[in-house]
Amino acid sequence: QQNAQITGVNLCENDTVPVSSNITNGTSYMWSTGDTSEFAIVSQAQIIWVEVMDEFGCMSSDTNEITASDIASLPVATAFCEGSSVTLDPNAAGTSYLWSDGSTTSTIAVSDTGDWCVTVTDLNCQSVACSDVDEILEPTPAFVDSSDFHTVVFTNLTADADENTTYLWDFGDGTTSTEFEPIHVYPYGEECENFATVTLTVSNVCGSWTFTNDSVAYGPCVSVEEVEGAIALDVFPNPANGEFTIVSPE
């Protein structure tokens, strides 16, 4: 009598392999996979069993575990904040790890930009994963302004911003804006020149930073001050022939 003995298998990525019952001359085979020949075809981890009738009419069975190695996986792209780092984890159990810089730890803290790859080895399998690592800079907020009466145009001079940077303007009069370069109209003020405190806050996933100007000017300024009261002037001759004299009385 021959006894069924399932050959253990560890599957790698995209593997499809035959598993043997180790009875070559059986008259019938019944696998948990539904196969009915000497071999079962497997492509995923599982507990597998087989029942075999040999050439002498004797029945035997066996059960075994089909294992599968983890596949290394990293985000296609990731980033770390300026002055910090990001931890890369392939999320794969292995017997050895080899990173782009020669490190052999299962995870790695990265503070340099560029492509980072890891090769994970587990039993008979190897898998590779890579990630494009970038650095998120700290924006430096700044702006200048120009006024036309009560209308102020703000020019955004923020440095090291990216497409994910957001902006919040506080105009100092109870109103705000999230535009990149807003135009703001201040309420009427009786003073010739009024001053507002304007704050620009820029934010990204790493934090927020502010810039404040407490002397943003606006108002109905004119080139000369108004003269209060009436002043009598003497103009002669009257009528004049293109030339006349203006005299202010004492």
Side-chain angles (χ1 to χ4, degrees):
Q1 177 181 351
Q2 298 183 67
N3 292 320
Q5 187 175 9
I6 297 174
T7 302
V9 172
N10 181 69
L11 300 174
C12 302
E13 183 178 4
N14 299 321
D15 268 353
T16 298
V17 299
V19 175
S20 176
S21 64
N22 287 298
I23 295 181
T24 59
N25 55 353
T27 57
S28 68
Y29 301 85
M30 180 59 67
W31 292 89
S32 56
T33 59
D35 292 286
T36 57
S37 67
E38 178 186 346
F39 298 94
I41 306 302
V42 295
S43 59
Q44 61 184 13
Q46 59 189 286
I47 301 297
I48 192 172
W49 55 261
V50 66
E51 292 180 348
V52 182
M53 179 179 291
D54 65 17
E55 59 182 326
F56 305 107
C58 299
M59 295 292 298
S60 64
S61 63
D62 191 29
T63 300
N64 207 340
E65 181 179 7
I66 305 301
T67 59
S69 292
D70 293 333
I71 301 171
S73 175
L74 292 172
V76 173
T78 188
F80 59 90
C81 297
E82 183 177 350
S84 183
S85 64
V86 61
T87 298
L88 298 180
D89 185 348
N91 295 298
T95 53
S96 68
Y97 303 83
L98 181 61
W99 293 89
S100 303
D101 66 347
S103 298
T104 57
T105 53
S106 59
T107 64
I108 189 171
V110 174
S111 57
D112 291 322
T113 61
D115 288 329
W116 284 80
C117 298
V118 62
T119 300
V120 178
T121 301
D122 179 49
L123 300 177
N124 57 309
C125 303
Q126 280 192 339
S127 60
V128 179
C130 295
S131 184
D132 181 15
V133 179
D134 198 6
E135 181 180 21
I136 302 174
L137 300 177
E138 295 182 0
T140 303
F143 65 83
V144 294
D145 59 272
S146 59
S147 303
D148 183 9
F149 293 96
H150 290 83
T151 300
V152 181
V153 177
F154 293 94
T155 301
N156 196 329
L157 301 179
T158 299
D160 295 328
D162 59 26
E163 66 275 10
N164 297 315
T165 303
T166 61
Y167 304 88
L168 177 62
W169 298 82
D170 185 334
F171 299 115
D173 61 356
T175 61
T176 61
S177 172
T178 56
E179 296 180 33
F180 178 70
E181 291 186 326
I183 298 175
H184 185 63
V185 179
Y186 282 91
Y188 175 79
E190 294 183 356
E191 299 294 331
C192 175
E193 190 173 36
N194 302 275
F195 295 95
T197 298
V198 178
T199 298
L200 169 61
T201 301
V202 297
S203 302
N204 60 27
V205 295
C206 297
S208 297
W209 299 263
T210 61
F211 174 79
T212 299
N213 184 349
D214 60 4
S215 56
V216 174
Y218 66 92
C221 292
V222 292
S223 59
V224 297
E225 295 183 359
E226 296 183 9
V227 180
E228 296 183 359
I231 298 177
L233 299 175
D234 290 334
V235 179
F236 61 88
N238 187 12
N241 186 25
E243 294 183 3
F244 53 85
T245 302
I246 300 175
V247 178
S248 176
E250 296 293 336

